[in-house]
Amino acid sequence: MPQLRAIGLWSFFRDAYDCAIFAFALNTAAYQAEILSGAIRAVSAGQREAAAALGLHHFVTLRTIVLPQALITALRPYGNEIVTMIKSSAIASIITVLDLMGETRYVFSQTYDTSFYLWAAVFYLILVEALRRLSNALERRITRHLVRAR
């Protein structure tokens, strides 16, 4: 990779772990930006107009009025994005990063016991379910002031 050496990035990109983190960070950053952007656009324009009528600065309006409402809207999609990242991390085993799936493939290649794949699936399921419950608890906590329809 003479191009990467010329600009001084070879030391970063020669490690498979760093490449996987970089690729996942770029991928999830795009999705998270769209989630936050959509959540901010979902806040009613009347909220901004009311803040302007009170004479609040744009930054204060964003920080105290728009973002708290947008984060409530964005909480579920952010939780889904985290779950997707956990499940997508299995792809990193293809480039020799020994995450859970990489370790499972290694153990399977040594023992030819398919039950290791079952245990990896169970572990992924437990991890995703724990994150789902954490996301639900966090949503209940930050929306406890809202009146729920019955």
Side-chain angles (χ1 to χ4, degrees):
M1 291 280 150
Q3 297 88 0
L4 290 175
R5 283 195 180 123
I7 58 175
L9 292 177
W10 176 244
S11 62
F12 178 78
F13 284 110
R14 74 175 170 206
D15 185 27
Y17 183 77
D18 291 339
C19 288
I21 294 295
F22 182 69
F24 288 140
L26 283 180
N27 183 45
T28 194
Y31 284 112
Q32 288 183 14
E34 280 301 312
I35 290 168
L36 186 59
S37 171
I40 288 174
R41 283 192 306 263
V43 175
S44 171
Q47 299 286 336
R48 291 184 196 86
E49 291 170 4
L54 290 172
L56 294 178
H57 189 269
H58 178 69
F59 179 73
V60 174
T61 301
L62 185 68
R63 188 175 54 91
T64 60
I65 296 171
V66 175
L67 280 181
Q69 294 177 53
L71 291 177
I72 290 171
T73 304
L75 184 63
R76 289 252 180 198
Y78 275 142
N80 291 341
E81 181 61 25
I82 291 170
V83 167
T84 301
M85 281 299 299
I86 288 172
K87 293 190 291 187
S88 298
S89 71
I91 296 171
S93 66
I94 294 172
I95 59 170
T96 68
V97 174
L98 293 180
D99 65 331
L100 176 63
M101 190 53 68
E103 290 291 341
T104 303
R105 284 179 43 193
Y106 175 75
V107 171
F108 175 74
S109 71
Q110 301 295 318
T111 64
Y112 298 107
D113 184 7
T114 57
S115 69
F116 286 105
Y117 283 113
L118 178 65
W119 284 111
V122 167
F123 185 75
Y124 275 121
L125 182 66
I126 290 170
L127 191 57
V128 165
E129 181 63 19
L131 284 170
R132 186 190 66 80
R133 288 178 186 231
L134 179 67
S135 175
N136 286 345
L138 183 60
E139 182 182 19
R140 276 193 310 274
R141 175 147 172 85
I142 67 173
T143 61
R144 66 182 179 265
H145 65 282
L146 299 175
V147 177
R148 300 202 194 299
R150 292 184 192 251

